[in-house]
Coordinates of all heavy atoms in Angstrom, one line a residue:
K280 N -59.0 -38.3 9.7 CA -60.3 -38.0 10.4 C -60.0 -37.6 11.9 O -59.1 -38.0 12.5 CB -61.1 -39.3 10.4 CG -61.6 -39.8 9.1 CD -62.4 -41.0 9.2 CE -62.9 -41.5 7.8 NZ -63.7 -42.8 7.9
L281 N -61.0 -36.8 12.3 CA -60.9 -36.4 13.7 C -60.9 -37.5 14.7 O -60.2 -37.5 15.7 CB -62.1 -35.4 14.0 CG -62.1 -34.8 15.5 CD1 -60.9 -33.9 15.7 CD2 -63.4 -33.9 15.6
Q282 N -61.8 -38.5 14.4 CA -61.8 -39.6 15.4 C -60.4 -40.4 15.4 O -60.0 -41.0 16.5 CB -62.9 -40.6 15.1 CG -63.0 -41.2 13.7 CD -63.9 -40.3 12.7 OE1 -63.9 -39.1 12.8 NE2 -64.7 -41.0 11.9
D283 N -59.8 -40.4 14.3 CA -58.4 -41.2 14.2 C -57.4 -40.4 15.1 O -56.6 -40.9 15.7 CB -58.0 -41.3 12.8 CG -58.8 -42.3 12.0 OD1 -59.4 -43.1 12.7 OD2 -58.8 -42.1 10.7
I284 N -57.5 -39.0 14.9 CA -56.6 -38.1 15.7 C -56.9 -38.3 17.2 O -55.9 -38.6 18.0 CB -56.7 -36.7 15.2 CG1 -56.2 -36.5 13.8 CG2 -56.0 -35.8 16.2 CD1 -56.5 -35.1 13.2
D285 N -58.1 -38.3 17.5 CA -58.5 -38.4 18.9 C -58.0 -39.8 19.5 O -57.6 -39.8 20.6 CB -60.0 -38.3 19.0 CG -60.5 -38.3 20.5 OD1 -60.3 -37.4 21.2 OD2 -61.1 -39.4 20.9
T286 N -58.3 -40.9 18.8 CA -57.9 -42.1 19.3 C -56.4 -42.2 19.5 O -55.9 -42.8 20.5 CB -58.3 -43.3 18.2 OG1 -59.7 -43.2 18.1 CG2 -57.8 -44.6 18.7
A287 N -55.6 -41.6 18.6 CA -54.2 -41.7 18.7 C -53.6 -40.8 19.8 O -52.7 -41.2 20.5 CB -53.5 -41.3 17.4
I288 N -54.2 -39.6 20.1 CA -53.6 -38.7 21.0 C -54.2 -38.8 22.5 O -53.5 -38.3 23.4 CB -53.6 -37.3 20.5 CG1 -55.1 -36.7 20.5 CG2 -53.0 -37.1 19.1 CD1 -55.2 -35.2 20.1
K289 N -55.4 -39.2 22.6 CA -56.1 -39.1 23.9 C -55.3 -39.7 25.0 O -55.1 -39.1 26.1 CB -57.5 -39.7 23.8 CG -58.3 -39.6 25.1 CD -59.8 -40.1 25.0 CE -60.5 -39.0 24.3 NZ -62.0 -39.3 24.3
P290 N -54.8 -41.0 24.9 CA -54.0 -41.5 26.1 C -52.7 -40.8 26.4 O -52.4 -40.6 27.5 CB -53.7 -43.0 25.6 CG -54.0 -43.0 24.2 CD -55.0 -42.0 23.9
L291 N -52.1 -40.2 25.3 CA -51.0 -39.4 25.5 C -51.2 -38.0 26.1 O -50.4 -37.6 27.0 CB -50.2 -39.2 24.1 CG -49.9 -40.4 23.4 CD1 -49.2 -40.1 22.0 CD2 -48.9 -41.3 24.2
L292 N -52.4 -37.4 25.8 CA -52.8 -36.2 26.4 C -53.0 -36.5 28.0 O -52.6 -35.7 28.8 CB -54.0 -35.7 25.8 CG -54.0 -35.1 24.4 CD1 -55.3 -34.8 23.9 CD2 -53.1 -33.9 24.3
E293 N -53.7 -37.6 28.2 CA -54.0 -37.9 29.7 C -52.8 -38.1 30.5 O -52.6 -37.7 31.7 CB -55.0 -39.1 29.8 CG -56.3 -38.9 29.2 CD -57.2 -40.1 29.2 OE1 -56.7 -41.2 29.4 OE2 -58.4 -39.9 28.9
E294 N -51.8 -38.7 29.8 CA -50.5 -39.1 30.5 C -49.8 -37.9 31.0 O -49.2 -37.9 32.0 CB -49.6 -39.9 29.5 CG -48.4 -40.4 30.1 CD -47.6 -41.3 29.1 OE1 -48.2 -41.9 28.3 OE2 -46.4 -41.2 29.1
E295 N -49.8 -36.8 30.1 CA -49.1 -35.6 30.3 C -50.0 -34.6 31.0 O -49.4 -33.4 31.3 CB -48.5 -35.0 29.1 CG -47.3 -35.9 28.6 CD -46.1 -35.8 29.5 OE1 -46.0 -35.0 30.5 OE2 -45.2 -36.7 29.4
G296 N -51.3 -34.8 31.3 CA -52.1 -33.9 31.9 C -52.7 -32.7 31.1 O -53.0 -31.6 31.6
F297 N -52.8 -33.1 29.8 CA -53.4 -32.1 28.9 C -55.0 -32.4 28.6 O -55.4 -33.5 28.6 CB -52.7 -32.1 27.6 CG -51.4 -31.4 27.6 CD1 -50.2 -32.1 27.5 CD2 -51.2 -30.1 27.7 CE1 -49.0 -31.5 27.6 CE2 -50.1 -29.4 27.8 CZ -48.9 -30.1 27.7
A298 N -55.8 -31.4 28.2 CA -57.1 -31.5 27.8 C -57.4 -30.4 26.8 O -56.9 -29.3 26.9 CB -58.1 -31.5 29.0
F299 N -58.3 -30.7 25.8 CA -58.7 -29.7 24.8 C -60.2 -29.3 25.2 O -61.0 -30.0 25.7 CB -58.7 -30.3 23.5 CG -57.3 -30.2 22.7 CD1 -56.7 -31.4 22.6 CD2 -57.0 -29.0 22.2 CE1 -55.4 -31.3 21.9 CE2 -55.7 -29.0 21.5 CZ -55.0 -30.1 21.3
S300 N -60.4 -28.1 24.9 CA -61.8 -27.5 25.0 C -62.0 -26.5 23.8 O -61.0 -26.0 23.3 CB -62.1 -26.8 26.3 OG -61.2 -25.7 26.5
F301 N -63.2 -26.4 23.3 CA -63.5 -25.6 22.1 C -64.6 -24.7 22.4 O -65.6 -25.0 23.2 CB -63.8 -26.5 20.9 CG -62.6 -27.4 20.5 CD1 -62.6 -28.7 21.1 CD2 -61.6 -27.0 19.8 CE1 -61.5 -29.5 20.8 CE2 -60.6 -27.9 19.4 CZ -60.5 -29.2 20.0
N302 N -64.6 -23.6 21.6 CA -65.8 -22.6 21.7 C -65.9 -22.0 20.3 O -65.0 -22.1 19.5 CB -65.4 -21.5 22.7 CG -66.7 -20.9 23.2 OD1 -67.8 -21.1 22.8 ND2 -66.6 -20.0 24.3
E303 N -67.1 -21.4 20.1 CA -67.3 -20.8 18.8 C -68.1 -19.6 18.9 O -69.0 -19.4 19.9 CB -67.9 -21.8 17.8 CG -69.3 -22.3 18.2 CD -69.8 -23.2 17.1 OE1 -69.4 -24.4 17.0 OE2 -70.7 -22.8 16.3
K304 N -68.1 -18.8 17.8 CA -69.1 -17.6 17.8 C -69.2 -17.2 16.3 O -68.2 -17.3 15.5 CB -68.6 -16.5 18.6 CG -67.3 -15.8 18.1 CD -66.9 -14.6 19.1 CE -65.6 -14.0 18.6 NZ -65.2 -12.9 19.4
S305 N -70.2 -16.6 15.9 CA -70.5 -16.1 14.5 C -69.7 -14.7 14.4 O -69.6 -14.0 15.3 CB -72.0 -15.9 14.2 OG -72.6 -17.1 14.3
V306 N -69.2 -14.6 13.2 CA -68.4 -13.4 12.9 C -69.1 -12.5 11.9 O -68.6 -11.4 11.6 CB -67.1 -13.7 12.4 CG1 -66.2 -14.5 13.5 CG2 -67.0 -14.5 11.2
N307 N -70.2 -12.9 11.4 CA -71.0 -12.0 10.4 C -72.5 -12.2 10.7 O -72.9 -13.3 11.3 CB -70.6 -12.3 9.0 CG -70.8 -13.7 8.5 OD1 -71.3 -14.5 9.3 ND2 -70.5 -14.0 7.2
A308 N -73.3 -11.4 10.2 CA -74.7 -11.5 10.4 C -75.4 -12.6 9.8 O -76.4 -13.2 10.4 CB -75.4 -10.2 10.0
S309 N -75.0 -13.1 8.7 CA -75.6 -14.1 7.9 C -75.3 -15.5 8.6 O -75.9 -16.5 8.3 CB -75.1 -14.0 6.5 OG -73.7 -14.3 6.4
G310 N -74.2 -15.5 9.4 CA -73.8 -16.8 10.0 C -73.1 -17.7 9.0 O -72.9 -18.9 9.3
S311 N -72.6 -17.2 7.9 CA -71.8 -18.0 7.0 C -70.4 -18.2 7.3 O -69.7 -19.0 6.8 CB -71.9 -17.3 5.5 OG -71.4 -16.0 5.6
L312 N -69.9 -17.3 8.3 CA -68.6 -17.6 8.8 C -68.7 -17.5 10.4 O -69.5 -16.9 11.0 CB -67.7 -16.3 8.4 CG -67.2 -16.2 7.1 CD1 -66.4 -14.9 6.9 CD2 -66.3 -17.4 6.7
F313 N -67.9 -18.4 11.0 CA -67.9 -18.4 12.4 C -66.5 -18.8 12.9 O -65.7 -19.4 12.2 CB -69.0 -19.3 13.1 CG -69.0 -20.7 12.5 CD1 -68.5 -21.8 13.3 CD2 -69.6 -21.0 11.3 CE1 -68.5 -23.0 12.8 CE2 -69.8 -22.3 11.0 CZ -69.2 -23.4 11.7
E314 N -66.2 -18.3 14.0 CA -64.8 -18.4 14.6 C -64.8 -19.4 15.7 O -65.7 -19.5 16.6 CB -64.5 -17.0 15.3 CG -63.1 -17.0 15.9 CD -62.8 -15.6 16.5 OE1 -62.5 -14.7 15.7 OE2 -63.0 -15.5 17.7
I315 N -63.9 -20.4 15.6 CA -63.8 -21.5 16.6 C -62.4 -21.4 17.2 O -61.3 -21.3 16.5 CB -64.0 -22.8 15.8 CG1 -65.4 -22.9 15.3 CG2 -63.7 -24.1 16.9 CD1 -65.7 -24.3 14.6
S316 N -62.4 -21.4 18.5 CA -61.2 -21.3 19.3 C -61.0 -22.8 20.0 O -61.9 -23.4 20.4 CB -61.3 -20.3 20.4 OG -62.3 -20.5 21.3
G317 N -59.7 -23.1 20.0 CA -59.3 -24.4 20.7 C -58.4 -24.0 21.8 O -57.2 -23.4 21.5
T318 N -58.6 -24.5 23.0 CA -57.8 -24.2 24.1 C -57.1 -25.6 24.6 O -57.9 -26.5 24.9 CB -58.5 -23.5 25.3 OG1 -59.0 -22.3 24.8 CG2 -57.6 -23.3 26.5
L319 N -55.8 -25.5 24.7 CA -55.1 -26.7 25.3 C -54.7 -26.3 26.7 O -53.9 -25.4 26.9 CB -53.8 -27.0 24.4 CG -52.9 -28.2 24.9 CD1 -53.7 -29.5 24.9 CD2 -51.6 -28.2 24.1
S320 N -55.2 -27.0 27.7 CA -55.1 -26.7 29.1 C -54.2 -27.8 29.7 O -54.3 -29.0 29.4 CB -56.4 -26.6 29.8 OG -57.1 -25.6 29.3
H321 N -53.3 -27.4 30.6 CA -52.5 -28.4 31.4 C -52.9 -28.4 32.9 O -53.3 -27.4 33.4 CB -51.0 -28.0 31.2 CG -50.1 -28.9 31.8 ND1 -49.1 -28.6 32.9 CD2 -49.8 -30.1 31.5 CE1 -48.4 -29.6 33.2 NE2 -48.8 -30.6 32.3
R322 N -52.6 -29.6 33.5 CA -53.1 -29.7 34.9 C -52.4 -28.8 35.8 O -52.8 -28.5 36.9 CB -52.9 -31.2 35.3 CG -51.4 -31.7 35.3 CD -51.4 -33.1 35.6 NE -50.1 -33.7 35.3 CZ -49.9 -35.0 34.8 NH1 -50.9 -35.8 34.8 NH2 -48.7 -35.4 34.6
G323 N -51.2 -28.3 35.3 CA -50.4 -27.4 36.1 C -51.1 -25.9 36.2 O -50.6 -25.2 37.1
G324 N -52.1 -25.7 35.3 CA -52.7 -24.4 35.4 C -52.6 -23.5 34.2 O -53.4 -22.6 34.0

Side-chain angles (χ1 to χ4, degrees):
K280 292 181 179 180
L281 181 59
Q282 57 263 41
D283 291 339
I284 295 174
D285 182 71
T286 299
I288 70 174
K289 182 172 285 186
L291 301 176
L292 291 174
E293 292 176 353
E294 184 180 327
E295 289 294 345
F297 285 109
F299 274 105
S300 59
F301 300 92
N302 203 352
E303 67 176 75
K304 65 178 181 180
S305 295
V306 295
N307 59 359
S309 65
S311 60
L312 285 175
F313 52 102
E314 182 182 276
I315 297 182
S316 60
T318 300
L319 179 62
S320 303
H321 186 242
R322 63 187 167 209

